[in-house]
Structures are given as C-alpha cells and as structure tokens.
Amino acid sequence: MSLFEPVGVTHYLIVGAVMFVIGAICMATKRNALGILMGIELVLNGANINFVAFGSQYLRTETLGLDGQLVALFVIVLAAAEAAVALAIALNFYNNHATIDVDRADELKG
Amino acid sequence: MADWINEQLAFYLSAVMPESAEAPGYVIAALIQAALIIQVPAVGALVFIWMERKVSGRIQDRLGPTRTGGKFGWLQTLADGLKLITKEDLIPGSADAMLFKLAPYLSFAASFAAFLALPFATGWVGQHINVAVFFVAAVLGLEVFGVLLAGWASGSKWSLFGAMREAAQVVSYEVPIGLCIIIPVMVCGTMDLITIGNMQAGLFTNWLIFHDPFTFFTFWIFFTCATASVNRAPFDLAEAESELVAGFHTEYSGLRWSIFFMAEYGSMYIVSALGAILFFGGWNGPIPIFHWIGWAYSGVGETPTLAGWLANLFGCGNLILKSVVGVTVMIWVRWTLPRLRIDQVITTCWKYCVPLSSVMFVGVLLYTATDTWSPNDLFPHRSRASVREGWISQDQARSAGNPEEDEEQAARDEDDLARTSNQPGEEFVLLARSAEERK
Amino acid sequence: MLLFTALNWHTLFFLIFALFACFFAFCVLVTSNIVRMAFYLTLALGATAGLFMLAGAHFVGAMQLMIYVGGTLVLLVFGVMLTAQDSFVRMSTRGGDWVLAVAVGVSLLALLVVAAIYLPQGEFHADAQAKIPADVANQTTSLGLALLSTRPDKLVATNETLAAGMSGYLLPFEIVSVHLLVVLIGAAYLARARRHAPPPS
C-alpha cells in the first residue's frame, strides 16, 4: 500500500484484526481483572472498525451503508453497559477478597 | 482561504508547482487556522484571569491589580505568566513522571479540540462539521482524563480525592447538558452550529431562547450545568482552595499549572459560546443592521466580498461579546455564592437538573410538534427549512440581501414542504432529491 | 515538491491513525502498570474514533468519543484508581502464559489478515476520496429515522440485493433501551454500600 493510492476496505479490516487479536491476547494474559476488561474493549473496537469499514461509502461502492454504522452504534452502547456491570463485579471481588488478581479467584477450584 | 492560498502559490511559484496541486494550500490554510484558533484559549486565558482578579476585587470591595501596566493592571497576567515560566519544575518523588507531565496537555488538548468545531461567524470555523454540537459536547467530556491522570500521577491522596470528585461531577453533568443541548437541535432540526446560528438571523425575537417558555428555562439550566461541568464555583470542589489545598493540581507549579488554567478558561469560553450560539443567536445582533444595508452574506457558498467579510467581522465581535458576558457571569457567581459539597453537587445534578431538563425536553417536543405560535414567528427573517437545506443551490444565483427574493424563495420552500409532507419520510425524499440535484 | 502534492491525504491520515491505534493497543498489551494501560487504551480508542471519522461515519466517531472514551473509559479509570493499591499496580504474567497466548494470537491474526486480503475488493470510489465532500446528506437524520424503522436510504439505494435487506432498527433500539435500564439497576445494586454490622458493645 503506497501513500498515493486510496485505501480500501482491506486496510481497515487489517487494522480491525490487529486490534481484535491484541485484545484477545490481553484477555488471556492479564492478571488484573481490569486489564481483562480492557482487552474486552479492544476486541469490541476491532469489531466496530470492521462494521464501519463495510458501511463506509468512500471505500467501496456496494457498501452496507447505514447498517454498518447502526450496528457499530449498538455495539458501542452495549459495550458501555457491559463494562459497567463487569466493573461492578470486579469491585465487588476486590472488596471481598482484598485483591484484584484473578489468579487468586480460585475458590471454586477442584 | 485554502483556494486563495493555492492561487497565490500557483501565481508566484508557477515554475515549481505542478498544475493541479491542491494539497499545499490546504495544509497551509489548516496551519494558519490552527494558529488563529489557539489565540482564543491562550489570549483569552490572559484576559479572563485579569478580569477575574478585577471582578473578584470589586465584589470584595477592593481594587484588584492596579500597578502592573498602568492604572488597571492590564499587564498583571503577563507578569504572572513570566513568573510561572521561571518557577522551578517540581515533580513529586512518588509521582508517575510520564503521566504527571502529560496530564495538563491532555486537558488542554481536549479544550482546544472543541474550538475546532466552534464557529465565529458564517463560514468562519476551523472545520465545518455536520455534527458540530455533538462533537463539542463529546470533546469537552474528554477533559476529565487530564484531571484524573493529574490526580493519580501526583502520588498524593488529596490530589486523588479531588480528581475523583471532579471526574464524578463532570461525567454526571454531561447528562443534563446533553439534554439541554438537544433542545435547540430539536427546534432547528440540525446539529450544525453554523446553520443553527443562521436560523436565528433577523430581529432578536428570532433567538431560540425566545422560542417558547421551555427553551427560556432550558438556557438557565444549561448555564448551571455548564458551570458545573467546567468546575467553576459554586461547583468547584475539585479545586476547592479551602478544603483540598488545590485539589488535583496541588502538586503542579509553574508552566504546567498555567496549562491547566488555560484549559479551564478555554472550556468556560466554549460553553459560553455554545450557549450563545444555541440560545442567543450567535453572531446575529439584536437588530439585523447588516442585512438591511445589504452587506451580510445571504447564503452559504457565495463568493466572498469585502462587505460580507466586514459583516462577518462584526458578527464575530458580537459572538465574542456574548461569550465574554457568559464568562463574566460565571466569574461573578463564583465570588458571590458559597461552595456546594460534593453530595450536594451530585444531588443537584441527578435530582434537580436531570428531571428539569427532561421536563423541558418534553415541553419543547410538544410545543414544536403541535406547531404552537412562538415569538419567533413575529418577524421571521427566512424560513428555517430553507436555511437548513442550504439557501442557495449551485445553479441559482441570488442577489445579496434582496428581501423580496428571499421571501419568494422561502414561500416556495414552504409550499414544497407542505405539499410533500403528507406522509412520514416524504420530507426526507425532498432532502435526498435536492441533495442529488446539488451534486 | 511533486511528492508532496501527489500524496493521497486520506491515505496518509488513515496510516497515521491506524499506526497510532495499533501502537497504543500494543502498549496496552505490553505494559504491566495498570494505570498506564488505561491511559494507552484511551489513546488507542481516540485514534479509532479518528478512523471512524475518516471512513465517513461522523456520528459514530463522535459517539465513540463521547460514550466510549468519555464514559466507559472514565469508568474504567475510576475502577483502576479504586483498586490500584501499591502491590496491584504492577502485576506481570508468567512466561508460559505469554507463549501460549501469543501463539494462539498470531495464528488468529494470520487467519484474519488472509481473509481480509482475499476479500473481493469491489469497485473503489477513487474520486470520492480525492475530495471528501462536505455535505454528506444529513447522516444524523438518516440514522435517527432508521432507528424509528424508516430507511430513507432505501429509497435511493442502487444495489438491489442490499436494498432488499435494509430494514428498520426499532426493535433492537427498544431492546437496547430496556437492556440499559436493567444494567443501570443491576450495576447500582451490585455496587451498593453494604452496612457493616455494628461491633458488639
């Protein structure tokens, strides 16, 4: 991709893929419960980039149009809702166990 | 401006520039516009700090600065600035150095970014954004990050308390501000600040604050919530001088502190300007003198003329005057009312401002839906529908400021809308078709 | 000079924002300081909002800034500051976990990138990108009407297949509204202050 040609959907999809994968690795490796939450936000944003790219009229002629943007809108709203509840759960965990380390959340183990 | 620069470059540097070069003009124009816009928070902060000291002095029955720069102490802020620049740059030992240094710039960046979409007159805007109202509200909400990070990175528990209080306050007050901002958007049918300003052209009865009793009250609720949102007294416990030393910027000294204050005064200016454009007619004066003498632009997309530029200049001055009045009222209120506790602040937001603004919202909704008479209909300047959909289409030339033609076109627009708005969505077909015709 | 003028500015800004977003997302992954993680995430999501606006979705971009960055992330930063006591600010993961996660991540990335590259390109709107027009026929109104189940863009749609699938979004809108109410009540309940039993006198 050179700087003289226009970008296409593919470039946006690759950016979305990179953010998605980084978010997934974040979810898998962070020990802090809030770090995992940040991974979730990155995953949802990667998906949003995909939707907006498919719905953009500048990148392809057969575009999803408003559908892409509307789904992205719904994803943003739902991500906010889910982050609120997840944070409440994480804070409850912190208050009850005096730690935010998810490796210590093994009371139901074995 | 970009086209003009391109023409000049092509004329003077025609040997070097290729034929169809457009980029240099845009980049240079963007740089010039950014430089112009940064004067507003920078110089504005200078002036507002001086004004604050004078106004607070007078309210407290003393004079304020009177020595630097003559009888009125005009250069006092400059002297303060020099002092701040020469102060020692302290970073607390337990502070997170990177975040500590970055936080003031985050606040300032958020405050400055909102200036990008704020118009000063028709066409005089950093970037003409379609969703300008939403953009300004969104970006102003980002200022809280600078505050939070400053509070955390200072490594002191008092700074952290101040920062968290402020974050809770700003985020809570975004809700009533959003509701209050939606009301003029609803009346005008567009989020574009330039269009909203132009819809209020004409006599002052066209201003949206006089549209109906609900919008009248909405302005006062908006102003209260805006004062809370920029952390000015009586909602200023984040900086509560008598309680938390200085809240989140306790550990900041010298230039870093002054950047926080430029951000704060910049935000005060932005919310005042937003209120002025949304409710008080923006750059339109109480009497449309420049329309009567034919100087004002009567449409978007006209060729610039000197007369139009002068009319715009006066409009810009008008808007700045209104915003400065808003800032002065904020300063006045700060030194008059006692400070609220944090629980009182949050109570005011959720138990008073949110229900009130919701009631105003429903009131304005019913008012506009039932098409009740409003003082705006007394001396209509131009039909609002015609303003919203662009006064001029590319093929129709129009003489500047010819009121009869304006009325004819307005009448034609009203007829079009009345004819086609029988079914929901039909009005939109008109919009879609006219958008296509304009391509 | 010629280079400067033939540059496709849309592509340049896309590259800037994309690199910004990916770099800061990578920083989120790599750093172990939870507060810096939150800060880098803010920057990454801000760059994503820029990407949205470049793709022409101005309303979604502004909404990303207002709700995601200005709301969700502020919430996250609050949570971080409430729980970031001395020992929890820096927590590092064991090496074995990293290897497994990176292996799976890289293979997933390869799969996604290959899928993206082999996507049928369709036609470019090349001239539309050279000068992004300023009057995108009022997008906010279209979005609002679509949420009320009227699809104004269906009237002017050119592609028959896509036009057949355009429907209103009223039901999801209502469901999400109720969902938000439930979340509001649920989060408030979960986060309620619990009264501690008074100490035995």
Side-chain angles (χ1 to χ4, degrees):
Chain A
M1 182 197 85
S2 74
L3 284 175
F4 304 102
E5 292 163 7
V7 288
V9 184
T10 309
H11 304 104
Y12 273 85
L13 293 186
I14 294 180
V15 175
V18 168
M19 286 195 70
F20 185 93
V21 165
I22 291 181
I25 301 182
C26 227
M27 281 201 279
T29 55
K30 295 292 178 191
R31 275 172 65 190
N32 194 321
L34 297 166
I36 297 177
L37 205 53
M38 294 183 201
I40 297 178
E41 305 300 336
L42 280 173
V43 161
L44 289 168
N45 264 277
N48 262 349
I49 293 179
N50 273 23
F51 273 118
V52 167
F54 279 121
S56 157
Q57 66 195 91
Y58 302 125
L59 300 174
R60 292 217 299 191
T61 33
E62 314 106 29
T63 147
L64 279 183
L66 283 183
D67 285 309
Q69 293 181 27
L70 277 165
V71 178
L73 225 59
F74 280 119
V75 170
I76 291 177
V77 170
L78 291 171
E82 158 258 327
V85 174
L87 194 68
I89 294 177
L91 283 177
N92 258 330
F93 177 73
Y94 178 74
N95 284 334
N96 287 333
H97 294 89
T99 174
I100 196 76
D101 187 353
V102 292
D103 283 348
R104 301 287 184 82
D106 54 0
E107 278 185 9
L108 296 177
K109 186 161 133 183
Chain B
M1 191 200 289
D3 298 325
W4 182 82
I5 294 182
N6 274 327
E7 282 172 42
Q8 305 304 313
L9 284 176
F11 183 64
Y12 290 113
L13 301 175
S14 47
V16 189
M17 300 273 291
E19 281 286 320
S20 61
E22 289 179 342
Y26 282 110
V27 173
I28 296 177
L31 286 173
I32 294 179
Q33 284 171 336
L36 281 175
I37 290 179
I38 208 168
Q39 302 310 311
V40 183
V43 175
L46 226 63
V47 171
F48 291 142
I49 293 181
W50 170 83
M51 211 162 59
E52 166 131 31
R53 295 176 69 159
K54 280 305 225 185
V55 169
S56 66
R58 287 289 176 175
I59 291 179
Q60 295 170 347
D61 202 19
R62 57 183 172 90
L63 285 174
T66 49
R67 294 190 197 282
T68 355
K71 203 167 76 156
F72 295 106
W74 286 333
L75 296 179
Q76 179 67 44
T77 327
L78 210 56
D80 282 340
L82 281 173
K83 173 202 78 172
L84 287 169
I85 293 178
T86 56
K87 263 194 178 182
E88 181 186 356
D89 183 19
L90 292 169
I91 301 184
S94 61
D96 189 340
M98 184 193 89
L99 291 180
F100 187 84
K101 292 180 199 170
L102 203 53
Y105 301 107
L106 261 184
S107 258
F108 184 73
S111 176
F112 176 63
F115 276 99
L116 284 176
L118 202 68
F120 286 90
T122 309
W124 287 13
V125 66
Q127 178 67 26
H128 189 170
I129 303 182
N130 228 349
V131 290
V133 167
F134 197 17
F135 181 79
V136 169
V139 171
L140 276 184
L142 298 182
E143 214 177 313
V144 71
F145 270 111
V147 168
L148 269 177
L149 288 174
W152 166 263
S154 301
S156 133
K157 139 169 72 165
W158 306 110
S159 311
L160 190 58
F161 284 170
M164 295 187 64
R165 284 183 185 180
E166 157 143 11
Q169 180 182 326
V170 171
V171 168
S172 303
Y173 274 95
E174 274 182 35
V175 175
I177 280 189
L179 277 173
C180 290
I181 286 183
I182 283 185
I183 289 173
V185 168
M186 192 166 62
V187 172
C188 291
T190 170
M191 278 200 192
D192 189 350
L193 278 170
I194 293 189
T195 315
I196 295 183
N198 284 325
M199 278 188 184
Q200 300 174 68
L203 216 56
F204 67 92
T205 50
N206 272 343
W207 291 354
L208 284 179
I209 194 176
F210 298 121
H211 181 256
D212 58 57
F214 295 104
T215 46
F216 185 78
F217 287 122
T218 304
F219 172 71
W220 303 109
I221 302 175
F222 169 77
F223 198 71
T224 311
C225 297
T227 315
S229 165
V230 299
N231 288 297
R232 288 291 293 187
F235 305 103
D236 66 343
L237 0 88
E239 312 156 2
E241 278 151 12
S242 40
E243 289 170 21
L244 297 173
V245 184
F248 66 94
H249 54 79
T250 313
E251 305 290 343
Y252 282 85
S253 62
L255 202 55
R256 302 188 202 283
W257 179 89
S258 64
I259 301 230
F260 267 124
F261 267 80
M262 282 207 297
E264 166 159 336
Y265 283 102
S267 302
M268 279 168 67
Y269 181 85
I270 290 174
V271 291
S272 303
L274 199 62
I277 297 178
L278 288 175
F279 292 98
F280 274 104
W283 47 88
N284 300 302
I287 310 172
I289 303 180
F290 286 99
H291 278 102
W292 288 345
I293 63 178
W295 278 12
Y297 290 130
S298 70
V300 191
E302 270 188 26
T303 48
T305 60
L306 182 62
W309 194 90
L310 275 178
N312 263 0
L313 187 66
F314 276 92
C316 173
N318 219 330
L319 179 57
I320 293 183
L321 181 69
K322 292 177 190 173
S323 316
V324 167
V325 166
V327 173
T328 311
V329 170
M330 284 191 200
I331 293 177
W332 171 20
V333 164
R334 172 184 184 176
W335 295 102
T336 315
L337 296 178
R339 179 176 295 128
L340 294 180
R341 282 196 321 263
I342 182 70
D343 62 305
Q344 289 169 332
V345 168
I346 305 286
T347 305
T348 312
C349 173
W350 292 109
K351 287 194 192 167
Y352 295 101
C353 288
V354 167
L356 270 175
S357 44
S358 313
V359 166
M360 297 304 142
F361 179 74
V362 172
V364 176
L365 180 69
L366 292 175
Y367 212 91
T368 48
T370 55
D371 208 9
T372 323
W373 180 87
S374 96
N376 284 161
D377 300 327
L378 273 175
F379 303 101
H381 180 80
R382 185 179 277 114
S383 90
R384 294 226 158 119
S386 72
V387 173
R388 185 171 57 234
E389 293 169 29
W391 291 314
I392 291 186
S393 51
Q394 297 303 333
D395 40 310
Q396 291 174 10
R398 186 181 297 201
S399 55
N402 187 335
E404 288 160 300
E405 271 196 17
D406 278 359
E407 277 167 11
E408 281 173 7
Q409 182 59 34
R412 264 178 268 145
D413 291 337
E414 295 277 4
D415 283 312
D416 278 337
L417 280 175
R419 198 174 5 105
T420 59
S421 60
N422 295 323
Q423 304 170 23
E426 285 264 290
E427 183 181 357
F428 203 78
V429 175
L430 177 68
L431 178 63
R433 281 203 205 117
S434 60
E436 278 182 27
E437 281 161 16
R438 250 180 275 140
K439 277 182 200 159
Chain C
M1 196 59 159
L2 275 172
L3 219 65
F4 186 60
T5 55
L7 208 58
N8 188 330
W9 288 89
H10 187 255
T11 310
L12 179 70
F13 280 109
F14 168 78
L15 206 58
I16 292 176
F17 279 120
L19 286 177
F20 218 72
C22 294
F23 173 69
F24 282 110
F26 187 70
C27 288
V28 170
L29 186 60
V30 161
T31 186
S32 48
N33 181 333
I34 187 72
V35 183
R36 294 208 183 178
M37 230 190 277
F39 175 63
Y40 294 142
L41 186 64
T42 314
L43 293 176
L45 294 188
T48 314
L51 281 177
F52 288 166
M53 296 218 185
L54 271 178
H58 305 287
F59 190 78
V60 178
M63 195 154 153
Q64 162 97 349
L65 277 179
M66 183 177 228
I67 294 182
Y68 225 120
V69 180
T72 311
L73 282 189
V74 171
L75 192 64
L76 213 55
V77 171
F78 251 102
V80 161
M81 289 185 184
L82 283 174
T83 59
Q85 305 310 314
D86 292 316
S87 55
F88 301 129
V89 174
R90 291 188 159 274
M91 284 197 283
S92 50
T93 325
R94 285 190 304 272
D97 287 343
W98 270 115
V99 167
L100 190 59
V102 169
V104 172
V106 166
S107 44
L108 180 61
L109 182 64
L111 177 67
L112 289 172
V113 167
V114 162
I117 291 180
Y118 282 116
L119 192 72
Q121 277 303 315
E123 297 161 32
F124 270 177
H125 232 185
D127 50 350
Q129 277 188 8
K131 217 196 259 206
I132 308 253
D135 59 343
V136 185
N138 204 341
Q139 220 179 62
T140 317
T141 314
S142 320
L143 282 172
L145 283 173
L147 283 175
L148 294 176
S149 274
T150 321
R151 287 296 298 260
D153 53 330
K154 197 168 178 171
L155 298 165
V156 296
T158 44
N159 188 333
E160 286 304 317
T161 334
L162 283 180
M166 286 184 187
S167 63
Y169 278 79
L170 187 57
L171 185 60
F173 186 44
E174 293 297 333
I175 294 180
V176 165
S177 312
V178 177
H179 175 92
L180 281 176
L181 178 67
V182 169
V183 163
L184 182 66
I185 297 177
Y189 174 78
L190 277 177
R192 74 194 183 285
R194 286 171 192 81
R195 220 161 291 173
H196 297 288
S201 48

